[in-house]
């Protein structure tokens, strides 16, 4: 089973929403269809980010990457009403070498950008 990591910029939350509730909610949403291996909130260049690592079913690379992208789209769309999200980056593992396969921006209606190697 291939492993993926997504990082999503968080620019703020709606009034009345505790910031610490975003990470467990994102994990809960992703876990509806995928096994979540790890989760964290990190500050990257001063920007808070939600990080989730998850597995997808093994088939072939293109289908796995598409499934991972669809998996990311769900939580990003579901969190949009309660949080101001920004850029997201999807990486494929394993281990110490995570290559970027897709990026997008929640502020642009989930605009996605394939990454060419």
């Amino acid at each position: 089973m291939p492993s993926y990591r997504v990082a999503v910029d968080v620019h703020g939350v709606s009034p009345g929403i505790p910031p610490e509730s975003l990470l467990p909610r994102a994990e809960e949403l992703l876990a509806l269809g995928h096994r979540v291996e790890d989760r964290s909130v990190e500050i990257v260049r001063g920007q808070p980010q939600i990080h989730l690592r998850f597995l997808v079913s093994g088939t072939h690379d293109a289908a796995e990457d598409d499934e991972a992208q669809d998996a990311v789209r769900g939580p990003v769309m579901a969190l949009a009403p309660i949080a101001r999200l920004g850029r997201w980056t999807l990486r494929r593992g394993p281990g110490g070498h995570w290559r970027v396969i897709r990026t997008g921006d929640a502020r642009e209606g989930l605009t996605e950008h394939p990454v060419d190697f």
Side-chain angles (χ1 to χ4, degrees), residues 26-108:
E27 178 184 21
E28 178 184 304
L29 292 163
L30 186 57
L32 291 173
H34 297 84
R35 182 170 149 214
V36 178
E37 296 182 299
D38 193 22
R39 68 181 190 151
S40 65
V41 172
E42 298 180 22
I43 306 296
V44 178
R45 293 180 303 281
Q47 177 64 58
Q49 292 180 338
I50 292 174
H51 288 246
L52 296 163
R53 189 176 76 226
F54 62 100
L55 299 175
V56 300
S57 303
T59 53
H60 61 83
D61 286 355
E64 294 160 357
D65 292 351
D66 289 344
E67 181 181 340
Q69 181 176 330
D70 289 343
V72 168
R73 192 178 292 127
V76 169
M77 288 176 55
L79 291 174
I82 62 168
R84 290 187 318 278
L85 304 176
R87 292 189 49 76
W88 55 266
T89 303
L90 178 63
R91 293 176 173 85
R92 183 180 176 130
H97 179 69
W98 293 88
R99 73 180 198 276
V100 174
I101 59 164
R102 308 268 163 73
T103 64
D105 197 322
R107 297 168 296 190
E108 298 174 3

